[in-house]
Amino acid sequence: MFPAFTLRYARLPEHFFERFDPVPVPAPRLVAFNRPLAEELGFELTQFDEARLAEWFSGNVLPKGAEPVAQAYAGHQFGHFNPRLGDGRAVLLGEVTDRAGRLRDIQLKGAGMTPFSRGADGRAPLGPVLREYLVSEAMHRLGVPTTRALAAVTSGERVFRRVPEPGAVLTRVAASHLRVGTFQYFAARDDREAVLTLAEMAIERHYPALNPELVEGDRYLALLEAIAQRQAALVAKWMGLGFIHGVMNTDNCTISGETIDYGPCAFMEAYSPTMVFSSIDEQGRYAYQNQPWLAQWNLARLAETLLPLLHDDQERAVELATEVIKRYESLYDAQWLAVMREKLGLTHEEQGDRELAEAFLAALAAGRADFTLGFRRLAEAVEADAPRLVELFENDGALQEWLPRWRERLAREDVPREEIAARMSAVNPLYIPRNHQVERVIAAAAEHDDFAPFQALREVLAEPFTEQPGHEAFAQPAPPTERVFRTFCGT
């Protein structure tokens, strides 16, 4: 039933991880299972056994062939370097080759105290598990590279955070769990061989198209540039959705270019570039508008770890790495503009497109309009007045000035207006995991053991671009009494 493991990470030298078996929980119960993902991974589901899945995905029983490990990594957390973080509450069961031939990690999150737990309990409350399940799967459906959620299991025990909460375990699937912080862990110990091993693993697993004939220094410089390209594309997608990660530490920056760690994340409603949700981001380091440049900062920290591989002359190595980090800015700018052109219904490039996009964002900000619905209902204004768009704005003066400029630009697309509107609706979602809705389903599950609201929201988010009659409430911003201004990571 469980696909075969390859255990590549567990075959690395043992200073890359700590061997660790998940700590059993008293009463595991399967509350969410991602059947399409399981089939994609190669699970045999003809004889679905919910009790067995609960045992596997809680860590109570190890699947055949698993050799669980807690991975070692370091990281800059809010700009401060911690040389030893590691999987404090997660264990990698192993890797599987999915039906498309891709290698995928399967990890349990909330599986108990590991050697990296630093005195914490190693457990996960139910709320953050359900949040990560919903948001990561929504991001996948929105077309954003992301880790995935395979299963959620309640543990039958209480976890103490701000208040006692039901415990749970999430099964997370990733292209890999290699992070900038993984490289930092070994670079901080001056372990060049380990950094070289990680670089080769990253190339083999995520960037196999890199020319194997490149000489050693050029090969690793090309790796750095490839990672920069993926990070630029990833963050541009975040920005196009109004997504705020909330904790862009280097240990949450993946080498694969996937979004990872959905602790204090949120989608903003009323557009504000300075928006911050994370309760621990007191200085606004990871505010919405800062995300592109924090990704660049994280890439610079990765570049520092690769310097010994880039050139024997450190000064030359720094020059080469700096050139790549500087190029990130143009990479990101191009990706962001491509995202915005799509959202505005533009297919070919014109000189003023950046200014046009920025002016619409300024109109959203001036009108305190909902980011998601603002872009979604813009498709209704392609040819005529759009009262449903205007009603989103507390002040629509900037919008009314902008609309004629946009329509004039659309006229040069030489495409039927109905085609433009359809294309816009295919990239501007109607449904996102709004903070108040996520909090509602968490409250129902945690306080009343009622998972029906969770399942209902999960089903709506599976089709984010398709209007679903009867589910209009899922598209609406929070009423004043339910607005969420702070999110918590659950650790």
Side-chain angles (χ1 to χ4, degrees):
M1 187 175 183
F2 216 103
F5 288 109
T6 61
L7 302 172
R8 296 191 185 189
Y9 206 89
R11 294 293 178 261
L12 292 175
E14 294 216 353
H15 60 294
F16 281 79
F17 53 79
E18 296 276 357
R19 296 197 181 275
F20 168 76
D21 285 343
V23 179
V25 300
R29 176 167 58 108
L30 187 70
V31 295
F33 181 59
N34 192 336
R35 196 179 185 99
L37 178 58
E39 292 172 347
E40 185 180 301
L41 293 170
F43 278 74
E44 177 51 62
L45 298 175
T46 52
Q47 294 182 325
F48 185 83
D49 188 334
E50 188 169 310
R52 177 183 291 184
L53 291 175
E55 293 288 338
W56 279 342
F57 295 137
S58 65
N60 278 16
V61 174
L62 291 179
K64 183 179 178 181
E67 291 185 20
V69 299
Q71 295 172 298
Y73 54 84
H76 276 88
Q77 297 184 307
F78 292 88
H80 302 286
F81 185 62
N82 187 327
R84 191 177 191 272
L85 292 171
D87 287 330
R89 58 174 180 165
V91 292
L92 176 67
L93 295 178
E95 307 91 359
V96 301
T97 302
D98 69 15
R99 296 189 191 277
R102 299 168 299 185
L103 205 60
R104 314 279 287 276
D105 281 5
I106 298 184
Q107 182 197 69
L108 301 182
K109 186 175 178 182
M113 188 183 297
T114 81
F116 298 106
S117 292
R118 305 186 304 283
D121 60 13
R123 292 304 191 187
L126 177 61
V129 166
L130 295 184
R131 174 182 291 274
E132 180 159 348
Y133 195 111
L134 286 168
V135 181
S136 64
E137 286 304 298
M139 292 284 271
H140 172 68
R141 296 288 186 161
L142 290 165
V144 181
T146 179
T147 59
R148 303 282 307 276
L150 178 59
V153 174
T154 53
S155 64
E157 62 186 4
R158 307 293 281 183
V159 173
F160 291 83
R161 295 295 183 264
R162 291 172 292 157
V163 295
E165 302 173 62
V169 180
L170 177 79
T171 303
R172 180 162 68 188
V173 176
S176 84
H177 285 85
L178 293 180
R179 316 153 187 262
V180 170
T182 317
F183 283 76
Q184 289 182 294
Y185 180 88
F186 295 102
R189 289 156 179 77
D190 200 25
D191 190 341
R192 182 184 186 279
E193 285 304 310
V195 173
L196 178 62
T197 297
L198 289 173
E200 287 296 333
M201 175 177 279
I203 291 170
E204 177 188 1
R205 192 151 179 180
H206 303 303
Y207 303 95
L210 287 185
N211 188 349
E213 298 175 1
L214 288 173
V215 296
E216 190 172 272
D218 291 344
R219 180 172 167 83
Y220 304 122
L221 189 66
L223 171 64
L224 179 61
E225 182 133 26
I227 295 169
Q229 289 172 343
R230 287 202 188 171
Q231 287 295 324
L234 176 67
V235 177
K237 287 181 178 292
W238 291 358
M239 301 297 280
L241 292 168
F243 175 77
I244 302 171
H245 184 279
V247 62
M248 288 178 65
N249 298 328
T250 56
D251 54 297
N252 292 328
C253 180
T254 63
I255 301 303
S256 65
E258 289 183 317
T259 313
I260 191 172
D261 197 330
Y262 288 92
C265 72
F267 287 79
M268 75 169 126
E269 296 194 324
Y271 176 67
S272 170
T274 59
M275 183 66 71
V276 176
F277 284 93
S278 173
S279 63
I280 55 177
D281 191 3
E282 295 178 354
Q283 304 302 315
R285 177 181 174 87
Y286 299 137
Y288 171 80
Q289 67 182 3
N290 294 344
Q291 292 182 131
W293 319 122
L294 265 298
Q296 184 182 36
W297 192 90
N298 289 344
L299 288 165
R301 307 289 75 78
L302 174 64
E304 291 168 352
T305 73
L306 296 176
L307 290 178
L309 308 185
L310 301 184
H311 204 281
D312 292 336
D313 181 331
Q314 184 172 3
E315 188 173 325
R316 179 57 180 155
V318 170
E319 290 175 357
L320 293 168
T322 300
E323 289 171 6
V324 173
I325 300 306
K326 285 183 176 178
R327 278 199 296 274
Y328 164 86
E329 295 179 17
S330 60
L331 292 172
Y332 170 76
D333 284 348
Q335 291 288 344
W336 179 86
L337 189 52
V339 167
M340 286 297 155
R341 281 195 177 105
E342 274 198 332
K343 292 178 75 66
L344 295 177
L346 311 177
T347 56
H348 67 264
E349 301 177 9
E350 287 192 10
Q351 189 67 37
D353 290 348
R354 172 177 295 281
E355 183 186 354
L356 188 70
E358 290 173 344
F360 182 63
L361 292 174
L364 288 175
R368 291 198 51 78
D370 184 82
F371 183 91
T372 300
L373 290 181
F375 275 102
R376 178 72 181 196
R377 293 183 183 176
L378 190 58
E380 300 171 13
V382 168
E383 291 189 271
D385 293 339
R388 293 204 318 146
L389 171 65
V390 173
E391 72 183 16
L392 298 173
F393 290 72
E394 292 180 7
N395 178 343
D396 68 340
L399 173 70
Q400 296 296 352
E401 288 182 11
W402 180 85
L403 284 170
R405 293 171 51 198
W406 174 61
R407 292 187 182 117
E408 181 182 344
R409 171 67 178 85
L410 290 181
R412 295 194 294 275
E413 285 290 305
D414 197 27
V415 175
R417 295 300 175 92
E418 60 271 18
E419 183 178 324
I420 291 174
R423 201 164 51 218
M424 290 174 66
S425 295
V427 297
N428 290 311
L430 177 58
Y431 306 103
I432 57 168
R434 293 182 179 270
N435 307 324
H436 70 292
Q437 293 166 354
V438 173
E439 291 299 325
R440 280 180 189 171
V441 304
I442 288 173
E447 297 170 16
H448 306 291
D449 198 37
D450 180 4
F451 289 88
F454 168 82
Q455 298 295 352
L457 181 56
R458 178 183 169 189
E459 290 173 10
V460 169
L461 295 175
E463 298 292 341
F465 302 102
T466 304
E467 193 160 345
Q468 302 173 44
H471 294 306
E472 291 79 8
F474 288 95
Q476 296 305 309
T481 56
E482 289 190 68
R483 287 176 183 158
V484 176
F485 297 104
R486 285 288 177 267
T487 51
F488 301 86
C489 67
T491 53

